Amino acid sequence: MEAWLLVAQLATLVLVLAVIHRPLGDYIAWTFTRAKDLRVERGLYRLVGVDSDSEQSWGAYLRGVLAFSLIGVLFVYALQRLQAVLPYSLGFPAVPEGLSFNTAASFVTNTNWQSYSPDVTLGYTVQIAGLAVQNFVSAGVGLAVAIALVRGFARRNTGTLGNFWVDLTRAVLRILLPLAVVSAIVLIAGGVIQNFSGFTEVTTLTGGTATVPGGPVASQEAIKMLGNNGGGFFNTNSAHPFENPTPWTSMFEVVLMLAIPFALPRTFGKMVGDTRQGYAVLAAMGVLFVASLAALTAFEIGGAGTGPQLAGGAMEGKEQRFGIAASTLFATTSTITSTGAVNSMHDSFTSLGGMMTLFNMMLGEIAPGGIGAGLYGILMIAVITVFIAGLLVGRTPEYLGKKLGPREIKLASLYILATPTLVLVGTALSFAIPPVRADVESTSIWNPGLHGFTEVLYAFTSAANNNGSAFAGLTANTPWFNTALGLAMLLGRFVPIVLVLALAGSLAAQGKVPVTAGTLPTHRPQFVGLLVGVIVIVVALTYFPVLALGPLAEGLQ
């Protein structure tokens, strides 16, 4: 039964995404190629002193990204530390220093890792002025960086990639904000709450009392999903009925998570002048997504033990109103993008099912990945794939008319190595430093043994890949995890961006190499298969040993 439900949901999802793929992708391309500014945009540019007609080198573009993000970290940190004196704080005290740093780093990097219960920690001012604003602009930063890389492929003999401030403004005002408003209205119609009522005492059916929280949930839920942010208004995230009340709102949130990432390959094809290239990237993304979804669902339906067999699958940690199929679809979407939202508890999945959510993040979140980050991530791996193909046939690798020399290959290689280094080093240090290990094992890990190791591995994988989901059995609000995960989020976001923009600048400075009989066609099924193979092999070689120490070993017990 669950398998057929999954097929029906997947067919519906594919149909909806197919309908919006072309118009949304074309609209995004038009947004970033149209010369004319809107009146409100011109006003913003005058206010901050930006010349929208000036173009930036990759270095200047990067400085804009870093400066804007630094201001965001400081602002969100300050809001949390001053919460006690802010209006609409709901009586909550200031957030402690370590947790404030972790949260600021989390939301500015589009991770939305939450080491706290948001509905009893943050008031409305911090939620709206701090976190909700970052949900928009952090997604806008990722989209802007992806567009800069696409311009690097599309442009010839130039030292510029566009203007970061213009790209960010257009991403937020023309794409994210209008779509978020419409999405919020749909969610309100579906039963997601939107109010400023604070906490309300109610009488239960048994005559007791209960405290019911309120808040501006729908407006944050919309951009949380649309911008691949993932941080919930409530502690149980999208498993909470106030955030995600029905099966159709759950499906709608899945569509929101995938809409822009799956439309961006169309944008890429339009901007480089060959839509076939976009379809090739889209096909690779789709193959990985469907394969991951099928594997996760199979592991959860086939959960071992008497209880799962009687229930028709492993239902622990899943909402009855969603069931296994909707839970695995949501979990796959959330972890294979950079969203990190949950409508079920990943820590309660079967060992191999939990491994699949880990594997999705270890792929680099490129199928389709986060907003912007998924596209530039898979393009960086496409560069490596073309290089490998060039080695096989003995030719200088070329991609979209650009030669891939030593500089380009080094940048792409460093990109692939950056995130695994953060994941593996962070996990290793958590167990290798004696005082840290003692604190982790006595304070943070509630499930010792193989599963406890997997919880720590999951935390660093989520942080370094800017996902934000967690195995909930880990207590992460400790000095070590607040600091280490905060640094992993910052480095996992900005080190790859540095490498992406450096590659974009290198490509933009080149002329176009003419197509010859020996040029590798990168729009055909053969290249799609090679790209998928390289992605899987790179991930397997990098992460298999550590997976064997955690979820694989646990699953084989």
Side-chain angles (χ1 to χ4, degrees):
M1 181 63 177
E2 289 287 348
W4 286 109
L5 282 174
L6 179 67
V7 171
Q9 291 176 357
L10 184 59
T12 303
L13 180 63
V14 170
L15 177 62
V16 173
L17 293 175
V19 169
I20 65 177
H21 170 76
R22 181 167 182 167
L24 182 56
D26 289 352
Y27 173 71
I28 296 173
W30 175 84
T31 296
F32 290 107
T33 54
R34 187 169 185 257
K36 187 176 180 180
D37 298 320
L38 300 178
R39 181 178 298 179
V40 65
E41 293 170 346
R42 292 195 294 270
L44 286 174
Y45 299 148
R46 285 194 296 269
L47 182 65
V48 298
V50 170
D51 180 5
S52 62
D53 294 324
S54 67
E55 296 252 330
Q56 296 175 316
S57 65
W58 78 266
Y61 203 101
L62 174 63
R63 288 191 292 273
V65 171
L66 296 179
F68 180 78
S69 301
L70 175 61
I71 292 171
V73 170
L74 296 176
F75 180 72
V76 176
Y77 179 86
L79 275 180
Q80 295 174 88
R81 296 295 296 138
L82 296 172
Q83 175 169 254
V85 299
L86 295 176
Y88 294 103
S89 66
L90 304 181
F92 294 142
V95 181
E97 294 93 334
L99 183 57
S100 292
F101 163 71
N102 183 277
T103 303
S106 174
F107 278 79
V108 170
T109 58
N110 198 242
T111 308
N112 291 35
W113 172 272
Q114 294 172 296
S115 296
Y116 57 93
S117 298
D119 46 323
V120 294
T121 304
L122 301 179
Y124 295 158
T125 300
V126 176
Q127 288 271 20
I128 296 172
L131 308 190
V133 169
Q134 288 304 318
N135 282 348
F136 280 97
V137 297
S138 65
V141 168
L143 184 54
V145 172
I147 294 299
L149 178 59
V150 174
R151 290 194 186 114
F153 283 108
R155 293 186 173 184
R156 306 287 183 262
N157 301 313
T158 180
T160 61
L161 296 174
N163 187 307
F164 167 70
W165 305 104
V166 173
D167 291 340
L168 175 63
T169 302
R170 291 186 175 190
V172 173
L173 293 185
R174 300 192 190 188
I175 300 170
L176 296 173
L177 187 58
L179 291 176
V181 170
V182 174
S183 300
I185 293 172
V186 173
L187 289 172
I188 292 172
V192 179
I193 68 170
Q194 180 74 15
N195 58 56
F196 291 90
S197 64
F199 296 93
T200 304
E201 292 288 336
V202 299
T203 302
T204 67
L205 294 175
T206 61
T209 60
T211 302
V212 178
V217 178
S219 56
Q220 293 201 194
E221 191 76 7
I223 187 58
K224 156 191 161 182
M225 297 302 185
L226 188 66
N228 299 133
N229 296 284
F233 196 94
F234 299 103
N235 192 38
T236 52
N237 207 279
S238 291
H240 197 291
F242 286 176
E243 287 195 32
N244 187 14
T246 65
W248 81 258
T249 57
S250 186
M251 175 60 77
F252 181 68
E253 292 183 4
V254 169
V255 171
L256 291 181
M257 285 189 272
L258 295 174
I260 294 177
F262 265 131
L264 282 175
R266 172 73 183 185
T267 302
F268 166 65
K270 290 286 289 186
M271 291 183 68
V272 300
D274 186 353
T275 55
R276 298 176 303 173
Q277 302 294 338
Y279 287 128
V281 170
L282 179 66
M285 290 177 171
V287 167
L288 291 169
F289 180 88
V290 172
S292 173
L293 174 61
L296 176 54
T297 305
F299 289 140
E300 293 305 296
I301 291 177
T306 303
Q309 291 174 4
L310 291 174
M315 279 297 295
E316 180 186 346
K318 300 176 180 66
E319 290 293 305
Q320 187 66 39
R321 67 185 187 277
F322 299 139
I324 292 177
S327 299
T328 57
L329 176 60
F330 199 102
T332 298
T333 302
S334 180
T335 53
I336 213 164
T337 63
S338 65
T339 309
V342 296
N343 74 349
S344 58
M345 298 299 105
H346 296 178
D347 198 22
S348 296
F349 282 14
T350 63
S351 300
L352 297 181
M355 182 189 70
M356 287 308 303
T357 61
L358 256 175
F359 185 79
N360 289 339
M361 293 185 287
M362 290 172 173
L363 283 174
E365 298 174 332
I366 54 175
I371 180 169
L375 179 63
Y376 66 65
I378 200 167
L379 290 179
M380 296 295 276
I381 299 182
V383 168
I384 296 295
T385 303
V386 172
F387 171 68
I388 293 173
L391 292 178
L392 294 175
V393 298
R395 289 184 57 87
T396 301
E398 303 167 7
Y399 187 40
L400 300 177
K402 299 297 180 74
K403 282 189 176 294
L404 304 177
R407 174 179 169 81
E408 289 77 21
I409 299 304
K410 289 176 182 177
L411 290 170
S413 299
L414 289 172
Y415 178 94
I416 291 175
L417 293 172
T419 303
T421 299
L422 294 171
V423 172
L424 299 177
V425 169
T427 303
L429 291 178
S430 297
F431 294 101
I433 302 175
V436 173
R437 176 173 181 169
D439 181 63
V440 168
E441 292 181 341
S442 63
T443 305
S444 297
I445 296 179
W446 289 27
N447 302 286
L450 298 175
H451 195 76
F453 173 81
T454 304
E455 289 175 345
V456 176
L457 173 63
Y458 194 105
F460 279 98
T461 304
S462 178
N465 284 281
N466 301 139
N467 183 269
S469 63
F471 268 18
L474 182 75
T475 300
N477 188 12
T478 65
W480 166 252
F481 280 120
N482 280 333
T483 303
L485 294 177
L487 292 174
M489 287 184 274
L490 291 169
L491 294 173
R493 173 73 160 180
F494 296 112
V495 170
I497 283 178
V498 170
L499 299 170
V500 168
L501 291 176
L503 178 63
S506 179
L507 294 173
Q510 296 184 29
K512 184 174 182 178
V513 178
V515 176
T516 65
T519 301
L520 174 69
T522 53
H523 61 278
R524 294 180 179 174
Q526 294 92 326
F527 180 75
V528 173
L530 182 60
L531 177 58
V532 171
V534 168
I535 292 169
V536 173
I537 290 172
V538 167
V539 173
L541 292 176
T542 304
Y543 288 111
F544 181 79
V546 74
L547 289 174
L549 293 175
L552 272 175
E554 185 181 4
L556 294 174
Q557 282 185 334

